[in-house]
Amino acid sequence: MKKTVSWPRFLAIRLLTFAEIGLKFCLFLPILLFMVWFNYKVDVSGLFQGELAPRQVANLLLEGSTVSGYDQMDERQVLEVYVQNLTEAPDTLALGSSRVLQLSEDLVGGGSFFNAGISGAGPMDVMNIWYLFEREDKLPGTLILEVDPWLFNADPDINRNSDSELFAEFLEKSLGINADYEEPDTVALWKALVDPAYFQGNVTYYLKQRQTGAVLTEDGDDIPFKAVTGSIDALDYAVKRADGSIQYPLNFRSWNYDQVMAEVLAQAGTLNALHGFDQMDPYWTDLFTRFIEHVQAKGVNVVFLMTPYHPFIVLHVYNNPEGFTGFFEVEPWVREYAAMNGIPVYGSYHAGRVGIQESMFFDGLHCKPEALQLMFPGVEKALAGEQTPYQQLYLETYGGAENSASALIGYDAACVVVDQDWLAQAEAAMLGM
């Protein structure tokens, strides 16, 4: 005879079984959660928090440290990890190429500041970096955009180091432009969080790091990025400050006139990203305007900065205009566009138009912080459309000559070279203010 089981007893057995399974799972859950947390936190392969070397730089910057080894940094990766771990948006953000990296918090003022410029930044880089902050909801109150002329150049080499997938994501998600962007498959990636083999690798790396005290890559190589303590004035290597700006090595900063001019001459012969720049490209020009409109629509103030080229560079381009006609179009167009959209503009590609002397250049492309201080009044005054005392004195003295206020637009052969006696008087007057 078949034995029958009562439903209450059957349910009780099942409930006890489920309870036993649940209890065992609860006992195992803390171990699972610890594995997930540890794999994410250590992340030796950089699956979630970026590779170890750029992560080291980003963490030091977020701690407020000046970091050594600037010339060895992957600036794009550093910025991605930095923004990912940023807890609060900066009041002011600077974007551009290495020509903006001398702009520091001291020169900008007006609250917190971060310089997110990167060497050789093209238009894709500028928009990508902005998107990193936008994607993490860390938008600044003000964007200072260093407008390099090659942002309007169609040469594909300008964007050769940029992240094309990130750019496609920005175009589709922010500007609403079809870019054939596809969401990445992250299932396999997140499986690593519960992978015992990945956990074992993270534990091995963590224990080795604790034992040796050295900051190493996954392969055991030394990570060259260290926090710099004490004064940085006499350092013989380049460093990145906590605000993202950089300081060049003392040897480079101390070049004499002949050394600077030798570099200027070499750069005049190459002028990367400008040779063959016959005209402002319609696609990149339109995309630039859409980008600016998008930034302003987010409630962010925009300020344009045009850092000057060494006077010899501009003279060289003027005397050899073939292939540079696009370069001459940019500044007038930028100024007209800015005027139509209420955007303050500071600086000029032509050093003589803003009274910047040859002695205020490191080389043909990069002016010194002193030059920026003479041109840029700080973010609060910039938003009010004010000039620096130096620029006011400059226009008062030279406004009736070749460099009238309207002559700041465009280029010609005759450009005022500021008299050295006047320069000394102007600097003295500024110190007395």
Side-chain angles (χ1 to χ4, degrees):
M1 180 182 292
K2 191 173 183 180
K3 189 175 181 181
T4 60
V5 179
S6 66
W7 279 106
R9 187 165 182 267
F10 174 79
L11 290 174
I13 292 172
R14 289 295 182 268
L15 287 174
L16 287 174
T17 302
F18 289 143
E20 183 179 0
I21 294 172
L23 178 61
K24 290 179 179 179
F25 179 77
C26 289
L27 292 174
F28 175 72
L29 184 61
I31 299 174
L32 179 63
L33 291 176
F34 175 76
M35 179 187 296
V36 169
W37 173 83
F38 194 83
N39 280 342
Y40 183 83
K41 192 72 175 175
V42 178
D43 193 23
V44 66
S45 296
L47 301 177
F48 308 99
Q49 300 194 59
E51 295 181 12
L52 292 168
R55 196 194 313 175
Q56 170 74 356
V57 178
N59 288 339
L60 290 173
L61 293 175
L62 289 165
E63 292 169 4
S65 298
T66 295
V67 187
S68 65
Y70 166 72
D71 56 344
Q72 301 178 60
M73 295 178 187
D74 185 327
E75 296 169 276
R76 292 168 180 82
Q77 286 194 36
V78 167
L79 278 173
E80 186 166 1
V81 179
Y82 178 90
V83 179
Q84 180 180 318
N85 292 283
L86 192 63
T87 57
E88 188 174 334
D91 295 315
T92 304
L93 177 70
L95 294 179
S97 68
S98 60
R99 285 163 37 81
V100 79
L101 286 172
Q102 295 301 307
L103 190 65
S104 63
E105 191 168 44
D106 292 339
L107 294 175
V108 172
S112 61
F113 167 73
F114 187 73
N115 192 324
I118 59 175
S119 302
M124 285 176 60
D125 282 321
V126 168
M127 296 180 214
N128 281 352
I129 295 168
W130 165 265
Y131 183 58
L132 292 177
F133 285 87
E134 180 179 319
R135 190 170 61 179
E136 297 295 330
D137 195 24
K138 296 293 187 298
L139 293 182
T142 300
L143 170 65
I144 300 175
L145 177 59
E146 191 254 325
V147 187
D148 281 308
W150 58 75
L151 296 182
F152 307 92
N153 191 346
D155 186 349
D157 281 346
I158 293 170
N159 295 306
R160 65 184 180 278
N161 295 319
S162 306
D163 187 336
S164 58
E165 291 184 7
L166 182 63
F167 185 61
E169 182 180 346
F170 167 70
L171 291 180
E172 289 216 355
K173 293 191 173 182
S174 292
L175 299 189
I177 298 174
N178 182 17
D180 295 326
Y181 170 71
E182 294 183 5
E183 291 283 355
D185 182 8
T186 58
V187 174
L189 178 67
W190 290 103
K191 283 182 179 179
L193 288 176
V194 292
D195 184 353
Y198 194 51
F199 178 71
Q200 183 179 0
N202 282 320
V203 169
T204 301
Y205 172 81
Y206 177 78
L207 293 177
K208 185 176 181 180
Q209 191 177 42
R210 285 290 299 270
Q211 182 180 4
T212 63
V215 182
L216 305 173
T217 66
E218 182 179 6
D219 298 328
D221 299 326
D222 182 57
I223 294 178
F225 311 117
K226 315 293 181 185
V228 178
T229 57
S231 174
I232 64 173
D233 293 338
L235 294 178
D236 60 356
Y237 52 85
V239 295
K240 192 171 187 66
R241 302 184 186 94
D243 67 0
S245 64
I246 67 168
Q247 177 177 280
Y248 292 120
L250 177 62
N251 176 57
F252 179 65
R253 289 183 282 123
S254 303
W255 274 3
N256 60 33
Y257 176 81
D258 291 338
Q259 290 172 304
V260 171
M261 284 307 300
E263 184 66 15
V264 169
L265 289 169
Q267 290 170 327
T270 56
L271 283 179
N272 294 332
L274 292 182
H275 274 295
F277 186 15
D278 294 322
Q279 65 174 358
M280 292 177 64
D281 181 69
Y283 172 79
W284 289 111
T285 302
D286 176 67
L287 203 56
F288 178 88
T289 63
R290 296 179 69 165
F291 169 63
I292 298 301
E293 290 166 5
H294 172 73
V295 172
Q296 291 180 313
K298 292 287 186 180
V300 177
N301 300 310
V302 179
V303 176
F304 287 161
L305 178 66
M306 290 186 285
T307 53
Y309 288 85
H310 189 282
F312 181 87
I313 295 288
V314 175
L315 182 62
H316 168 76
V317 172
Y318 180 83
N319 290 332
N320 301 274
E322 186 175 354
F324 292 109
T325 50
F327 171 74
F328 291 110
E329 293 175 356
V330 174
E331 184 167 339
W333 182 91
V334 169
R335 290 184 178 279
E336 182 179 358
Y337 175 81
M340 292 174 59
N341 292 274
I343 299 173
V345 182
Y346 289 90
S348 171
Y349 299 145
H350 200 318
R353 305 242 182 246
V354 281
I356 303 303
Q357 303 297 290
E358 288 187 51
S359 61
M360 297 179 184
F361 285 86
F362 291 120
D363 56 21
L365 308 180
H366 303 95
C367 64
K368 296 180 179 180
E370 303 93 273
L372 294 174
Q373 189 173 22
L374 296 182
M375 295 185 302
F376 187 68
V379 66
E380 292 181 352
K381 291 184 177 180
L383 293 175
E386 298 181 25
Q387 293 288 343
T388 64
Y390 179 84
Q391 290 300 311
Q392 292 173 358
L393 290 169
Y394 172 75
L395 289 175
E396 287 174 9
T397 305
Y398 294 100
E402 290 90 342
N403 277 20
S404 65
S406 60
L408 291 174
I409 300 176
Y411 298 89
D412 55 39
C415 179
V416 169
V417 176
V418 177
D419 179 80
Q420 292 298 314
D421 290 338
W422 177 88
L423 181 64
Q425 293 173 8
E427 290 176 339
M430 287 178 63
L431 290 174
M433 290 183 175

